């Protein structure tokens, strides 16, 4: 079974949710999320500091869906602090961290997942950055979730960034 | 009864101040749109950061940070970069979420002399039941992305390309 066919199956049974831009209702890129993560990025947001951070997550996901330019770093241990998408270690496992670095007075959030096709990101683990005591453990959680859902199908693997997404700027 | 559009809010009308989270969402969206616009302008120009820094008077380190992530930029900073990169002006417009009347983002008004086949293309985007309220939307630089957008929008929405300046 292809990875896309499996994603479609998982979306059909509600184990994953396809999230278009909440603003334009388009998916020029695809964001596919675990249900509990999708719920975080849904209005209404709580009128609290946590709600503000969820609102920032929603804005980032909207930007991804609308094909906004994304800054990307491929070296998990040598990347600018502000890069928007970075590979997670180990690289060969093909997991990535979507880095929500706003609001600026917070540590932001991290959404971990993998690509299932070009411009199609599956987000499987998400938390406030300060709650992630071990980043490796968080990546492992995302990998375990992937393994549970995808029955041996591995994430998209490519030889260059163009194999993963369009309209990016490598940092 | 007002005919003015309202936006989807986490607080009901009349509940006082707009929620801080909604304000954050609006601010972040605009920062991300501005960041995207700047990167497109710079990429289109083919200029190096050093060249662009010289043209704008913005130091290279600052320019690098601006290109690196969405930030709360001054209008003047965005204007300098976009104009120096590709001779474009900014157009600012209102926009509303999909549940309301229309959607707009920052647009570049590209001078005819600088147009080419990969320039940003402008479209109107409006719910079918509010055609008169259509508004411009900046989409991508290529036909494939536009077709993807056109096919994925709700059937309640009309997307029409706007002819470039004569």
């Amino acid at each position: 079974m292809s990875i896309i066919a499996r994603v479609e199956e998982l979306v059909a049974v509600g184990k994953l949710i396809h999230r278009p831009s909440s603003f334009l209702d388009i998916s020029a890129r695809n964001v596919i999320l675990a249900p509990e993560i999708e719920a975080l990025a849904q209005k209404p947001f709580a009128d609290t500091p946590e709600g503000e951070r969820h609102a920032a997550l929603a804005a980032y996901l909207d930007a991804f869906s609308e094909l906004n330019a994304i800054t990307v770093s491929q070296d998990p241990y040598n990347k600018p602090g502000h890069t928007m998408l970075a590979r997670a270690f180990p690289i060969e496992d093909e997991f990535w961290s979507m880095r929500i670095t706003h609001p600026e007075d917070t540590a932001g959030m991290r959404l971990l997942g993998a690509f299932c096709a070009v411009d199609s990101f599956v987000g499987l683990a998400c938390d406030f950055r300060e709650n992630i005591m071990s980043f490796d453990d968080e990546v492992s959680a995302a990998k375990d979730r992937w393994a549970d859902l995808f029955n041996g199908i591995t994430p998209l693997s490519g030889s260059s960034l163009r194999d993963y997404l369009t309209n990016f700027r490598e940092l | 009864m007002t005919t003015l559009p309202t936006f989807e809010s986490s607080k009901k009308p009349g509940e006082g101040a707009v929620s801080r989270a909604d304000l954050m969402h609006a601010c972040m969206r605009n920062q991300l749109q501005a960041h995207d616009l700047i990167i497109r302008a710079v990429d289109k120009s083919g200029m190096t950061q050093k060249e662009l820094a010289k043209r704008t008077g913005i130091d290279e380190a600052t320019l690098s940070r601006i290109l690196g992530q969405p930030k709360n930029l001054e209008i003047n900073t965005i204007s300098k970069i976009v104009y120096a990169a590709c001779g474009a002006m900014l157009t600012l417009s209102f926009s509303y979420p999909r549940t309301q009347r229309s959607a707009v983002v920052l647009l570049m008004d590209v001078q005819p002399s600088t147009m080419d086949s990969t320039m940003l293309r402008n479209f109107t985007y409006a719910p079918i039941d509010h055609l008169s309220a259509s508004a411009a939307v900046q989409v991508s630089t290529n036909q494939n992305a536009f077709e993807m957008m056109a096919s994925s929008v709700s059937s309640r929405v009309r997307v029409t390309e706007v002819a470039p300046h004569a």
Side-chain angles (χ1 to χ4, degrees):
Chain A
M1 174 180 281
S2 75
I3 189 168
I4 294 296
R6 182 61 183 156
V7 167
E8 288 173 349
E9 271 188 0
L10 292 165
V11 169
V13 298
K15 290 188 174 179
L16 291 174
I17 296 177
H18 182 243
R19 183 191 187 279
S21 161
S22 67
F23 196 87
L24 293 181
D25 199 17
I26 64 170
S27 290
R29 289 196 191 100
N30 293 298
V31 175
I32 301 121
L33 299 171
E36 73 277 12
I37 300 172
E38 196 267 349
L40 294 177
Q42 281 283 358
K43 283 193 171 187
F45 304 114
D47 193 6
T48 62
E50 289 76 18
E52 288 184 65
R53 298 174 76 175
H54 294 153
L57 169 67
Y60 265 72
L61 295 175
D62 286 352
F64 189 88
S65 294
E66 293 172 27
L67 205 65
N68 278 23
I70 302 289
T71 54
V72 189
S73 297
Q74 296 212 68
D75 184 342
Y77 292 117
N78 184 21
K79 59 179 180 282
H82 52 253
T83 192
M84 297 164 75
L85 180 70
R87 276 190 183 275
F89 182 82
I91 287 173
E92 57 270 23
D93 286 350
E94 299 289 356
F95 277 75
W96 298 74
S97 173
M98 197 175 281
R99 309 174 76 255
I100 294 86
T101 55
H102 289 79
E104 288 179 2
D105 58 347
T106 71
M109 297 181 76
R110 299 295 182 270
L111 171 61
L112 294 165
F115 286 89
C116 61
V118 177
D119 282 336
S120 298
F121 184 78
V122 182
L124 297 173
C126 185
D127 207 341
F128 295 135
R129 180 63 186 90
E130 69 273 20
N131 291 344
I132 302 174
M133 297 303 157
S134 162
F135 203 78
D136 289 345
D137 288 349
E138 191 76 359
V139 175
S140 292
K143 285 193 284 193
D144 291 346
R145 188 77 176 268
W146 180 283
D148 286 344
L149 294 170
F150 284 89
N151 301 330
I153 302 171
T154 55
L156 179 71
S157 178
S159 56
S160 80
L161 279 177
R162 284 185 175 76
D163 296 328
Y164 298 91
L165 76 169
T166 57
N167 197 26
F168 62 86
R169 185 178 188 86
E170 186 167 10
L171 300 180
Chain B
M1 185 175 74
T2 180
T3 56
L4 289 173
T6 56
F7 57 89
E8 186 181 9
S9 173
S10 297
K11 274 193 173 178
K12 291 176 182 149
E15 281 189 289
V18 178
S19 118
R20 292 192 321 175
D22 286 345
L23 294 175
M24 171 58 67
H25 191 238
C27 292
M28 276 312 309
R29 177 171 181 82
N30 289 337
Q31 287 188 33
L32 284 154
Q33 294 289 332
H35 180 246
D36 177 65
L37 189 78
I38 287 171
I39 287 186
R40 287 176 192 268
V42 172
D43 286 351
K44 176 181 166 58
S45 75
M47 287 181 204
T48 64
Q49 284 186 29
K50 190 170 186 175
E51 290 168 333
L52 193 57
K54 189 174 177 184
R55 280 174 66 84
T56 57
I58 299 170
D59 73 80
E60 201 176 338
T62 302
L63 197 53
S64 178
R65 283 196 295 274
I66 288 169
L67 293 170
Q69 80 171 143
K71 296 180 77 69
N72 182 15
L73 297 174
E74 291 185 356
I75 295 280
N76 283 1
T77 303
I78 305 172
S79 303
K80 286 177 189 176
I81 295 170
V82 169
Y83 186 78
C86 59
M89 296 290 184
L90 292 176
T91 300
L92 303 177
S93 302
F94 291 122
S95 65
Y96 300 92
R98 62 188 161 92
T99 52
Q100 299 298 327
R101 298 205 310 186
S102 59
V104 187
V105 291
L106 295 168
L107 284 164
M108 282 194 292
D109 280 337
V110 181
Q111 293 174 351
S113 60
T114 64
M115 285 182 180
D116 60 40
S117 60
T118 60
M119 66 174 285
L120 286 169
R121 301 167 65 197
N122 299 333
F123 302 91
T124 60
Y125 178 96
I128 294 296
D129 51 349
H130 288 287
L131 289 181
S132 61
S134 64
V137 59
Q138 165 250 325
V139 189
S140 72
T141 55
N142 67 67
Q143 182 66 23
N144 288 343
F146 168 65
E147 287 172 355
M148 210 181 324
M149 173 186 171
S151 64
S152 65
V153 295
S154 143
S155 58
R156 294 175 50 248
V157 172
R158 184 187 72 163
V159 179
T160 309
E161 183 163 9
V162 178
H165 302 292

